[in-house]
Amino acid sequence: MTDRVTLKYMAQQVIRMLSKGTPSKDSRLDEREIAESLRQELASSVYDKWYEAKKNKWETINPRLLSTFTLPVSIDTSEKANYVSVGVPYIHLPDGTGIWSVRPVTTKSAINKAMIPTRPQEMDVYHGTITKALEGQFSWFALDDRIYFTKRWGKTLLDEGVKNVLVTLVTVANENIGITDVLPISPEQRKTIVDATLQKYASLMGIMPDEVNDNSSVPR
């Protein structure tokens, strides 16, 4: 079944294809090295899916690619602003949607809604005018490994009693995915990832790998 595929499983499949069967005891094919190559191809696949979604004007993303974290709000005294430290590897997509959603943890209905994303350069160009345009709502922008928040009617998140925010990130294909973690990918993505890795290693080894077989009996 493809819904339980892992990097380890795909690495074993690649080794089997390159070896044209069970690898010999003196095989130099390293499972973890191949798993890392698969991880890189997985990241490329996520980017490809992002570009496809943008071209077709899709507004959704596979929820299995997303992870949500509760992060504490801190104060940057030099900037006089509230922020959270992300501290989790995530995919930096070109339009900033690697950070999928930011929402305050609060019971106040007036501010219990997803915040509006902006970009640091917009803050520099418009200075305080963008805050006025968003008056009544919090907005955020990402800078390095932090997410900064604007004020709402002159008040910060902490002023409003918001001590934590929920941050949803596109986290698939990063270093926090273990070799035995189940991957949120479709059968089509799996074939693309395995084929690309096969071609890479076959070229280096000067061999022609067999076609990938989704019914391979390699154990997961």
Side-chain angles (χ1 to χ4, degrees), residues 7 10-11 14 34-42 193-194 197:
L7 287 172
M10 290 196 297
V14 169
I34 292 176
E36 186 57 34
S37 293
L38 288 162
R39 190 196 305 276
Q40 294 168 6
E41 293 297 335
L42 177 56
I193 293 163
V194 170
T197 305

Side-chain angles (χ1 to χ4, degrees):
M1 295 175 61
T2 57
D3 61 341
R4 300 294 296 176
V5 171
T6 65
L7 287 172
K8 181 181 179 68
Y9 171 71
M10 290 196 297
Q12 291 175 339
Q13 188 177 35
V14 169
I15 291 174
R16 183 180 179 86
M17 295 300 105
L18 291 171
S19 304
K20 299 183 182 296
T22 303
S24 62
K25 293 182 179 180
D26 59 349
S27 173
R28 296 185 179 182
L29 294 170
D30 184 87
E31 182 179 291
R32 289 193 170 273
E33 179 183 313
I34 292 176
E36 186 57 34
S37 293
L38 288 162
R39 190 196 305 276
Q40 294 168 6
E41 293 297 335
L42 177 56
S44 296
S45 175
V46 172
Y47 278 106
D48 290 342
K49 287 293 183 182
W50 177 86
Y51 280 112
E52 181 183 359
K54 296 297 286 187
K55 184 176 70 174
N56 292 288
K57 297 182 179 180
W58 299 338
E59 298 298 330
T60 60
I61 191 169
N62 185 338
R64 293 187 298 171
L65 302 179
L66 304 174
S67 298
T68 300
F69 304 88
T70 301
L71 303 177
V73 179
S74 302
I75 300 175
D76 186 327
T77 54
S78 63
E79 298 291 338
K80 298 181 180 179
N82 287 177
Y83 73 92
V84 294
S85 293
V86 178
V88 177
Y90 66 95
I91 292 182
H92 293 264
L93 298 175
D95 65 347
T97 51
I99 300 177
W100 188 250
S101 173
V102 182
R103 178 183 294 272
V105 178
T106 179
T107 57
K108 295 182 179 179
S109 58
I111 59 176
N112 187 15
K113 59 186 70 175
M115 302 182 206
I116 299 173
T118 56
R119 295 179 296 179
Q121 58 266 39
E122 292 172 344
M123 307 303 290
D124 292 338
V125 171
Y126 297 110
H127 297 288
T129 58
I130 192 168
T131 303
K132 293 179 181 178
L134 298 174
E135 192 169 10
Q137 301 184 67
F138 283 110
S139 65
W140 62 267
F141 64 90
L143 191 61
D144 297 327
D145 63 343
R146 291 182 175 183
I147 298 174
Y148 285 89
F149 305 101
T150 62
K151 294 181 180 180
R152 172 182 179 270
W153 288 332
K155 291 186 177 181
T156 66
L157 282 172
L158 289 175
D159 291 337
E160 290 279 10
V162 178
K163 298 180 180 180
N164 298 284
V165 297
L166 293 177
V167 178
T168 301
L169 306 169
V170 182
T171 54
V172 72
N174 288 281
E175 296 305 317
N176 58 321
I177 293 182
I179 193 171
T180 58
D181 291 340
V182 176
L183 300 174
I185 58 176
S186 65
E188 294 78 14
Q189 281 178 288
R190 171 190 166 189
K191 188 177 190 312
T192 298
I193 293 163
V194 170
D195 283 353
T197 305
L198 274 172
Q199 291 174 13
K200 173 183 175 181
Y201 277 88
S203 176
L204 291 173
M205 298 169 64
I207 62 174
M208 182 65 69
D210 293 334
E211 183 178 347
V212 176
N213 180 2
D214 282 347
N215 295 318
S216 169
S217 60
V218 178
R220 299 177 189 178

